[in-house]
Amino acid sequence: MFIATNRLFVPAERAEEFEAHFRSNMRTFLPGVPGLLRSTLLKPTREDQPYVSVNEFESEEHFRAWVASDSFREAHKRNRGIARHVTGNAVETFQHAEDMVLPQQRTEQ
């Protein structure tokens, strides 16, 4: 598995519009991307934290093919609308090292 993340810093007053635009782009351009297993947008819990976009691919080759695709270019051309909300970003890539999936556990309170 190959994982690409993008940390996106968005001022709080622009968060709602950013989320709507980003969500629309995800739903429009990501279905059917070969090798894409999952795409997630994580919302910050504090104003000083970034949003984090997480895309999980079957392989780095699938990721590179997506980045070179017309779909990627079209999505990022449309991202100009998102870009006005982002004050900074950082793309990072990772190879999968370990997973641990636990059964649902209850905690007594």
Side-chain angles (χ1 to χ4, degrees):
M1 184 182 310
F2 187 79
I3 301 163
T5 67
N6 191 358
R7 294 181 299 136
L8 302 149
F9 292 88
V10 178
E13 66 273 8
R14 296 182 177 165
E16 189 175 323
E17 187 177 354
F18 167 80
E19 287 179 34
H21 197 95
F22 199 97
R23 191 176 296 115
S24 174
N25 264 13
M26 288 174 72
R27 292 175 182 171
T28 300
F29 295 102
L30 295 182
V33 169
L36 180 62
L37 302 172
R38 181 178 179 155
S39 183
T40 305
L41 178 63
L42 303 175
K43 183 177 182 172
T45 57
R46 297 187 331 244
E47 286 189 17
D48 63 332
Q49 295 176 318
Y51 282 84
V52 179
S53 169
V54 181
N55 292 292
E56 299 174 14
F57 288 86
E58 289 177 20
S59 67
E60 184 173 356
E61 291 75 25
H62 283 104
F63 168 74
R64 300 277 175 222
W66 174 63
V67 170
S69 73
D70 290 339
S71 176
F72 180 88
R73 281 189 291 281
E74 187 62 33
H76 287 77
K77 185 189 320 178
R78 188 173 176 212
N79 278 354
R80 292 180 190 139
I82 290 175
R84 70 173 184 255
H85 303 300
V86 177
T87 59
N89 76 306
V91 175
E92 301 165 321
T93 57
F94 305 89
Q95 292 289 339
H96 181 263
E98 180 65 31
D99 253 342
M100 187 167 115
V101 179
L102 300 173
Q104 186 174 9
Q105 298 179 27
R106 289 187 170 205
T107 55
E108 298 296 323
Q109 294 184 358

